[in-house]
Amino acid sequence: MSTVTDTPQTRRRDQHRPKLSDRARAERKLGWKLAGPAFVIMLAVTAYPILQAVWLSFFRYRLTDPDAREFIFLSNYSVIFTDSLFYQALWNTVFITVVTVAVELVLGFAIAMLMHRIVLPRRTLRTIVLIPYSIITVVSAFAWLYSFRTDTGYVNGWLNTLTFGAWDATFDWFGSWLPAMGVIMISEIWKTTPFMSLLLLAGLAQIDSAMEEAAKVDGATFWQRLFRVILPNMKAAIMVAVLFRTLDAFRIFDNVFVMTRGANNTETLSTLAYKQTIDRVEIGMGSALSVVLFLLVFAIALIFIRGFKVDLAGSK
């Protein structure tokens, strides 16, 4: 005799749900005990600013005139989604994110493979590769800015020499959208590719070398071993690396702020929120932009986690 909860739907759901062993339950319980305090503290620290930003986004609130604060509910969001400047900043942000993450994934994987294969100077090589990532982002941005400027830069001089005078030595890299975005993306790729390679190296270290040796004995080429052995067993590491870098690249601020400050249509969502909040002291509009940016980042995280379909808790 079936009960109220014993239905065909629940039985099918229970059949597909993996049953945890006593050891798995104990490990999960221990994990919550270890990570629980940090999770509670992180939630307590971040919950108030997020809720405060959501609350302020419902107001027309200028910091220089706090007494004139007015509740306007969703009007700030209406202005955002009907303004072409927001969509230009969104396009720039997506463009930078897609290009930099794609290039970093390829370069990072190649560097990770190199560090994984080389035996003798392994520690020295890893130290050299991580040097760009150890530099503060603002310092790195200023270094790239001074390299490409027409007055202090050396890039134009080098290109002029390499092309035997065919390159314009006074070319302004930050004078138009495309070259400015190119410099911004090159600096971002140079700075954060080591982080990508470090995460992918951790994934390579978890692959059983016997599987590669067996594929090599069976006559598999390098590309066959790469796409049928290495990459499928690195799915969790690739997901984590791409997710972290995508979220970081989508919030890009330092390089754009230092190099162009949003000039020539190079505004991003982070710099746009900064200008509204700090330069124009429009706390309500700046908070609304920050909330939109947070929701977009949250949506990206959900898409990646569902799209890769990787159980990080169960992956080894």
Side-chain angles (χ1 to χ4, degrees):
M1 181 176 180
S2 61
T3 61
V4 177
T5 58
D6 187 14
T7 62
Q9 291 80 6
T10 58
R11 285 196 297 268
R12 286 196 297 268
R13 187 169 61 249
D14 292 338
Q15 290 176 356
H16 291 290
R17 182 181 300 168
K19 294 182 179 180
L20 297 177
S21 62
D22 293 338
R23 180 179 178 181
R25 292 193 186 94
E27 290 179 351
R28 176 174 292 185
K29 187 175 181 180
L30 178 61
W32 275 110
K33 288 182 179 179
L34 294 175
F39 175 78
V40 171
I41 293 174
M42 183 178 65
L43 185 64
V45 170
T46 58
Y48 175 76
I50 293 174
L51 295 176
Q52 181 73 359
V54 174
W55 173 248
L56 291 176
S57 68
F58 297 145
F59 288 85
R60 180 183 290 112
Y61 179 24
R62 192 176 181 87
L63 194 60
T64 55
D65 191 12
D67 295 332
R69 187 170 71 171
E70 178 186 0
F71 182 79
I72 56 176
F73 195 39
L74 298 177
S75 295
N76 284 328
Y77 295 97
S78 177
V79 172
I80 290 173
F81 292 117
T82 55
D83 194 335
S84 60
L85 182 60
F86 168 77
Y87 291 101
Q88 177 66 44
L90 179 61
W91 159 249
N92 290 337
T93 305
V94 173
F95 181 67
I96 292 173
T97 301
V98 171
V99 173
T100 56
V101 173
V103 175
E104 289 171 19
L105 179 61
V106 176
L107 290 180
F109 183 77
I111 296 173
M113 288 284 288
L114 183 64
M115 291 190 294
H116 183 66
R117 301 296 183 186
I118 293 180
V119 178
L120 293 179
R122 178 173 293 179
R123 293 184 179 179
T124 304
L125 178 61
R126 293 180 181 180
T127 303
I128 294 174
V129 168
L130 290 175
I131 287 177
Y133 189 68
S134 64
I135 300 175
I136 300 173
T137 307
V138 174
V139 176
S140 171
F142 272 110
W144 284 93
L145 170 66
Y146 293 139
S147 300
F148 280 87
R149 283 178 58 171
T150 56
D151 53 351
T152 60
Y154 55 83
V155 173
N156 280 335
W158 283 6
L159 292 175
N160 184 266
T161 301
L162 292 174
T163 57
F164 301 101
W167 180 265
D168 183 8
T170 61
F171 179 75
D172 186 7
W173 288 89
F174 304 103
S176 57
W177 180 82
L178 186 58
M181 292 289 284
V183 176
I184 290 170
M185 290 187 292
I186 289 173
S187 64
E188 182 76 1
I189 292 169
W190 178 84
K191 174 72 170 61
T192 53
T193 296
F195 176 73
M196 179 77 79
S197 64
L198 188 65
L199 294 178
L200 295 177
L201 179 63
L204 283 172
Q206 295 179 352
I207 299 177
D208 189 359
S209 59
M211 296 169 50
E212 292 187 63
E213 293 297 331
K216 187 182 296 186
V217 171
D218 290 338
T221 63
F222 169 78
W223 296 108
Q224 290 174 332
R225 297 197 305 270
L226 177 64
F227 288 103
R228 297 185 181 182
V229 177
I230 298 176
L231 292 180
N233 287 279
M234 288 183 59
K235 194 174 181 180
I238 293 174
M239 193 277 284
V240 171
V242 174
L243 174 60
F244 281 10
R245 273 302 301 135
T246 301
L247 298 182
D248 190 36
F250 199 83
R251 296 179 290 107
I252 184 173
F253 174 80
D254 307 69
N255 292 338
V256 179
F257 182 79
V258 169
M259 295 183 188
T260 65
R261 292 184 178 268
N264 299 312
N265 295 323
T266 58
E267 201 84 74
T268 62
L269 292 179
S270 295
T271 59
L272 185 61
Y274 170 86
K275 285 187 175 181
Q276 292 295 323
T277 308
I278 305 300
D279 291 348
R280 301 186 59 187
V281 293
E282 293 282 357
I283 305 301
M285 183 61 68
S287 298
L289 284 167
S290 300
V291 171
V292 171
L293 179 59
F294 169 78
L295 292 177
L296 290 173
V297 170
F298 186 75
I300 291 172
L302 286 181
I303 291 172
F304 267 84
I305 292 174
R306 291 184 177 274
F308 272 83
K309 297 179 181 179
V310 175
D311 184 12
L312 296 178
S315 60
K316 296 181 181 180

